[in-house]
């Protein structure tokens, strides 16, 4: 298993336990831990996919695998949110889809941007080490 997976899994579990413990009092702290829990949950899934893929295909780029898995999570979340907004009926019609669009989709985009910046930084560092 990836060391990052082993780090993010307990952090995701702890974050969601804090959210569930404080779900009665909705405040900024609960919302913050919900965002943190969502981030660590997505990271845990992606690092698990990266570690499994690296076992199956050792030459695969972990950056590419991570980017593909985050993209798939983001696209599927977006599609489900639109489906929920368009097809829901009743008092809270489309509320879950709206919450997904407001929270999960921006988080996946931010994770993709951060991963891209890390990839550029490491690529530049590899090029500098290779030229010397």
């Amino acid at each position: 298993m990836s060391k990052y997976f082993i780090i993010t899994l307990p952090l995701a579990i702890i974050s969601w336990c804090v959210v569930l413990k404080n779900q009665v009092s909705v405040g900024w702290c609960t919302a913050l831990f919900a965002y943190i829990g969502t981030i660590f949950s997505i990271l845990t899934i992606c690092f698990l996919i990266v570690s499994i893929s690296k076992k199956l295909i050792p030459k695969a780029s972990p950056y590419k695998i991570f980017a593909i898995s985050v993209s798939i999570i983001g696209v599927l979340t977006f599609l489900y949110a639109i489906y929920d907004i368009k097809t829901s009926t009743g008092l809270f019609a489309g509320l879950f889809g709206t919450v997904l669009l407001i929270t999960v989709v921006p988080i996946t985009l931010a994770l993709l941007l951060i991963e891209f910046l890390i990839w550029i930084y490491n690529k530049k560092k590899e090029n500098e080490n290779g030229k010397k």
Side-chain angles (χ1 to χ4, degrees), residues 12 16 34-44 107 111:
W16 286 115
Y35 272 103
I36 291 170
T38 304
I39 291 168
F40 283 131
S41 298
I42 293 172
L43 286 174
T44 302
I107 288 172
L111 287 174

Side-chain angles (χ1 to χ4, degrees), residues 41-109:
S41 298
I42 293 172
L43 286 174
T44 302
I45 293 168
C46 291
F47 289 141
L48 179 65
I49 292 170
V50 168
S51 64
I52 290 171
S53 299
K54 287 298 287 179
K55 296 283 185 195
L56 297 174
I57 309 166
K59 291 186 178 183
S61 169
Y63 297 110
K64 198 177 287 188
I65 297 168
F66 186 87
I68 290 170
S69 60
V70 170
S71 299
I72 290 172
I73 290 171
V75 167
L76 290 177
T77 304
F78 176 77
L79 291 174
Y80 180 75
I82 296 299
Y83 170 78
D84 183 61
I85 291 170
K86 293 288 187 183
T87 60
S88 293
T89 59
L91 185 60
F92 296 109
L95 182 64
F96 185 63
T98 306
V99 169
L100 286 176
L101 279 178
I102 292 171
T103 58
V104 178
V105 173
I107 288 172
T108 57
L109 291 174

